[in-house]
Amino acid sequence: MDVVAIARWQFGITTVYHFLLVPLTIGMGPALVFMQWRWLRTGDDRWYRMTRFWGKVYLINFIMGVATGIVQEFQFGLAWSEYSRFVGDVFGAPLAMEALLAFFVESTFLGLWIFGWQRLPRRLHLLALTLAAGASVLSAYFIIVANSWMQHPVGVALVHGHPVMTDVWAVLTNNTALVAFSHTIAGSAGVAGGFLLGIGWYQLWRRRQEGIDTVGADGRVVPGEDPAQPGRDRLDHRVWINTLRVGAVVAVLGFGAVAITGDAQGKLLFQQQPLKMASAEAACETGTSFSVLAVGDVSSASCANVTNLIEIPAVLSFLANGDFTTPVRGVNELIPQYQREYGRTLPTGSIYGSRSGQAIDYQPDMTVTYWGFRIMIGFGAIAAFAALVALWLTRKGTVPASKPLMRLALFGILAPFGANAAGWIFTEMGRQPFVVAPNPTGVDGLHLFTAAAVSPGVTAGELITSLVSFAALYGALLVVEVFLIARTVRGGVAAVVPELEPPAPADREDDVLAFAY
């Protein structure tokens, strides 16, 4: 019934759930802009249909993302008030910019795009979508600026024990923020690409199962039509083969960028949070070898029981330093250094409560950091490889008739989501026991232990009640999200393109919210 542990579980569950929706919105926005731009440029109706269909999916996900993200602000004030007091002077600027410059722009122009069909000139309509998508990327940047300051505080002075911003430009251009932002955008592109690929594969497989498309003697697709089903024409085939191949290309490029930006981020982390990276590699002793597989008790404070079964010499040194010879400090060397610099026990004070004087465990949970790091890389590599395979298998215009392959393509949608979630769990849990990690080259004494960040008046019972309530609510929202997207996907293009819908009943009263039904 530890208050800190329950508060961390609550924030972790709600944040990870929220971030399942965020990368799809960020990645889908530019893809949607590209589709509408191609329609405006070429006049080809396949791009119009793609824009309408994926626009509907984008809106469903955006709305759910907004609903689940609102909870974060309440948790800052209710469960983490001491944290909010500590970081408030710094966080005020990027969070205000996120709300005023990004979210308001995003929601305003997205509204214009939703209601602007047949009302706005086509170029202005495309501009509205472009601004909305760009604002979502800008919103992510400001949020990552705030998070990166917790990872690597810069641009502040310590006044009476609290950080006061002295250089907003240093905060906005924090090197941690720049690499984390580029890494996040690349990961979001991978998520969107995998989503397009999986849905496109499913729709092409359906057309083959229903006998609409056939395969000729040369192995190439022969698109057909089904007059009984609105929208199931030859153009529909072009919609889905384009969707699949665009998604595959976006996924490959996205995960290629993930590898490049991830390498840059890793090198920074070895400098800024060396214990996090040493735990991620199960590097108990100082050396240069990269651990491919470790066994033993990798729980916190048990590094001595870890055995690396498979190691690659010199690779860890390259990941950390860009060469093959410089040793990387291990956990057993780093922990005594942390104890000397930041103390062996928590300070005494009212914000620590009964935790005052407790011994500090500086080693992050190695199970989470070690496997989280590998799950992130593994799922990303699987998704990139699957995209390359999909490009090869669809080179003749359709997908194989295999049902297991179709299911694999649909389940493959989850891999990029898993990689993103694992990456953030590793990033946040690897920072423990700090909620604001110390900057090795920054202001002395500028850090905040997680044990000091919790609201002093909150009780375990209150946190458990809200934790259960949020988990139940988010579970219900997950069901709604999956149901709405699944229904949209099953309906296909005809369900979202007004020109393909069956005539409405004479007594039906149309309204501007018809797009939502």
Side-chain angles (χ1 to χ4, degrees):
M1 299 294 288
D2 180 53
V3 171
V4 176
I6 301 169
R8 287 180 63 199
W9 271 105
Q10 182 188 82
F11 199 86
I13 289 172
T14 54
T15 303
V16 169
Y17 180 94
H18 174 62
F19 197 74
L20 291 176
L21 309 176
V22 169
L24 183 58
T25 297
I26 295 173
M28 279 290 296
L32 200 57
V33 170
F34 173 76
M35 293 173 191
Q36 186 164 350
W37 172 77
R38 287 293 292 163
W39 171 55
L40 184 63
R41 181 80 178 270
T42 66
D44 191 332
D45 276 350
R46 65 176 152 168
W47 296 106
Y48 169 73
R49 292 189 183 186
M50 290 169 68
T51 304
R52 294 305 293 256
F53 177 84
W54 289 109
K56 178 68 174 286
V57 175
Y58 178 80
L59 292 176
I60 293 170
N61 192 72
F62 174 82
I63 292 166
M64 288 296 181
V66 172
T68 57
I70 292 173
V71 174
Q72 312 306 314
E73 286 83 355
F74 288 100
Q75 289 183 87
F76 285 142
L78 295 175
W80 300 96
S81 62
E82 293 298 332
Y83 160 82
S84 299
R85 289 190 183 97
F86 187 82
V87 303
D89 186 78
V90 181
F91 271 35
L95 293 185
M97 292 177 184
E98 191 271 337
L100 297 173
L101 298 180
F103 182 72
F104 283 0
V105 171
E106 182 181 17
S107 54
T108 298
F109 284 99
L110 191 58
L112 288 172
W113 185 75
I114 292 170
F115 300 109
W117 290 101
Q118 314 303 330
R119 293 178 176 88
L120 289 176
R122 289 186 177 183
R123 292 182 182 276
L124 286 179
H125 193 233
L126 173 60
L127 178 62
L129 177 62
T130 304
L131 291 173
S136 70
V137 175
L138 189 62
S139 177
Y141 170 71
F142 287 124
I143 294 297
I144 288 173
V145 163
N147 178 271
S148 296
W149 188 87
M150 295 160 57
Q151 310 280 349
H152 183 64
V154 295
V156 296
L158 206 58
V159 179
H160 302 302
H162 282 77
V164 175
M165 186 186 297
T166 57
D167 187 350
V168 67
W169 184 246
V171 174
L172 294 176
T173 59
N174 187 348
N175 56 3
T176 306
L178 296 178
V179 296
F181 173 70
S182 59
H183 194 56
T184 300
I185 297 303
S188 299
V191 167
F195 202 81
L196 292 169
L197 190 160
I199 302 305
W201 190 294
Y202 167 73
Q203 292 288 359
L204 289 169
W205 177 85
R206 277 184 62 188
R207 287 179 61 90
R208 290 203 61 180
Q209 285 296 110
E210 294 169 5
I212 300 174
D213 295 338
T214 57
V215 174
D218 59 354
R220 295 193 173 276
V221 66
V222 181
E225 296 189 354
D226 183 357
Q229 299 185 61
R232 304 291 274 178
D233 49 20
R234 291 183 177 87
L235 187 59
D236 186 62
H237 167 266
R238 296 175 66 195
V239 165
W240 297 118
I241 191 64
N242 269 77
T243 291
L244 186 151
R245 296 186 71 81
V246 167
V249 170
V250 169
V252 170
L253 295 177
F255 286 113
V258 163
I260 296 170
T261 57
D263 177 68
Q265 189 175 26
K267 285 178 169 57
L268 268 184
L269 285 175
F270 273 108
Q271 301 170 18
Q272 298 170 357
Q273 297 182 45
L275 191 50
K276 174 193 288 187
M277 294 306 296
S279 298
E281 302 300 345
C284 295
E285 303 299 334
T286 299
T288 63
S289 298
F290 173 80
S291 170
V292 178
L293 178 62
V295 297
D297 184 2
V298 293
S299 61
S300 181
S302 300
C303 193
N305 299 322
V306 175
T307 301
N308 289 314
L309 288 184
I310 304 174
E311 293 183 329
I312 305 176
V315 171
L316 182 59
S317 181
F318 177 78
L319 293 175
N321 306 302
D323 61 48
F324 297 98
T325 57
T326 305
V328 178
R329 290 178 297 169
V331 169
N332 293 332
E333 180 182 338
L334 288 167
I335 287 182
Q337 177 186 331
Y338 273 63
Q339 291 173 339
R340 289 192 301 270
E341 294 181 1
Y342 311 115
R344 292 177 175 272
T345 60
L346 292 173
T348 57
S350 59
I351 60 174
Y352 290 96
S354 61
R355 295 176 291 278
S356 297
Q358 288 183 357
I360 302 173
D361 181 7
Y362 284 105
Q363 182 179 317
D365 190 314
M366 199 178 292
T367 304
V368 173
T369 54
Y370 184 84
W371 290 111
F373 191 67
R374 279 148 185 78
I375 289 171
M376 172 185 66
I377 296 173
F379 279 2
I382 289 171
F385 177 73
L388 290 172
V389 171
L391 285 172
W392 173 256
L393 292 178
T394 58
R395 67 192 185 281
K396 294 186 177 181
T398 190
V399 299
S402 168
K403 189 172 185 179
L405 266 183
M406 179 274 294
R407 289 178 173 172
L408 192 61
L410 283 178
F411 279 115
I413 291 173
L414 301 178
F417 286 99
N420 275 264
W424 274 109
I425 291 171
F426 158 71
T427 298
E428 300 306 305
M429 292 194 66
R431 188 178 64 238
Q432 296 304 315
F434 300 102
V435 67
V436 176
N439 181 347
T441 60
V443 179
D444 289 338
L446 176 53
H447 60 268
L448 182 67
F449 290 109
T450 306
V454 179
S455 301
V458 73
T459 66
E462 292 169 339
L463 285 171
I464 288 176
T465 301
S466 59
L467 170 61
V468 172
S469 301
F470 282 141
L473 176 62
Y474 277 31
L477 289 176
L478 178 62
V479 171
V480 172
E481 163 106 355
V482 172
F483 169 77
L484 290 175
I485 290 181
R487 187 176 68 172
T488 302
V489 170
R490 284 195 299 267
V493 169
V496 296
V497 177
E499 294 85 346
L500 299 176
E501 290 180 342
D507 59 348
R508 171 179 162 182
E509 182 179 350
D510 197 14
D511 61 66
V512 293
L513 291 177
F515 77 92
Y517 303 141

